[in-house]
Amino acid sequence: MTLKISIDAGSPTAPYEQLRAQISEQARSGGLPVGYKLPTVRGLAEELGLAANTVAKAYRVLEADGVIETRGRAGTFIAPAADAAARQAATAAAAYATEAHRLGLTRAEALAAVTDALRAAYGDGDDGD
């Protein structure tokens, strides 16, 4: 498996965002397996004809999203998707809890709002899907 990136210089989408989206999609689809070692920032920048800062920005966003993880001098790797999803969900839940408390909602009111939102997103069924 290899990283396949194509940057469209004529696109209205910024190069770092094109890079971020393509790596994210390949990781999500399994095209880049968990643990796949990504090229260095400098190496990928040279390969794609981009500034090192552009690649570094894409890597920072991907790491913040939980798609990749940096292991110091060992390099940058595709992170486990389940861990990334769980981290993002926990972050969103914490932000919601903080905001609900700030708004003065009781726990029951905050939980009811979440339940309604989940019902809307997942449907009315109670089958766990």
Side-chain angles (χ1 to χ4, degrees):
M1 307 213 165
T2 59
L3 179 64
K4 296 175 184 136
I5 302 294
S6 175
I7 303 298
D8 179 2
S11 172
T13 304
Y16 92 88
E17 176 57 24
Q18 291 179 53
L19 178 59
R20 184 215 56 80
Q22 290 177 51
I23 291 174
S24 183
E25 172 56 27
Q26 289 177 53
R28 187 194 61 73
S29 70
L32 294 176
V34 170
Y36 177 86
K37 186 174 181 178
L38 293 168
T40 64
V41 167
R42 240 182 238 163
L44 188 55
E46 287 176 15
E47 182 181 326
L48 298 174
L50 297 172
N53 285 339
T54 299
V55 175
K57 183 175 183 179
Y59 276 20
R60 279 192 304 275
V61 174
L62 286 163
E63 189 161 27
D65 290 347
V67 175
I68 65 173
E69 58 188 10
T70 301
R71 301 178 192 160
R73 293 180 184 253
T76 303
F77 300 84
I78 299 296
D83 290 349
R87 282 193 303 269
Q88 288 179 350
T91 299
Y96 171 75
T98 298
E99 184 65 8
H101 185 264
R102 187 189 70 72
L103 292 170
L105 298 179
T106 65
R107 284 179 188 231
E109 290 168 333
L111 187 56
V114 167
T115 301
D116 289 345
L118 289 171
R119 189 173 294 119
Y122 288 93
D124 287 333
D126 193 22
D127 58 5
D129 288 343

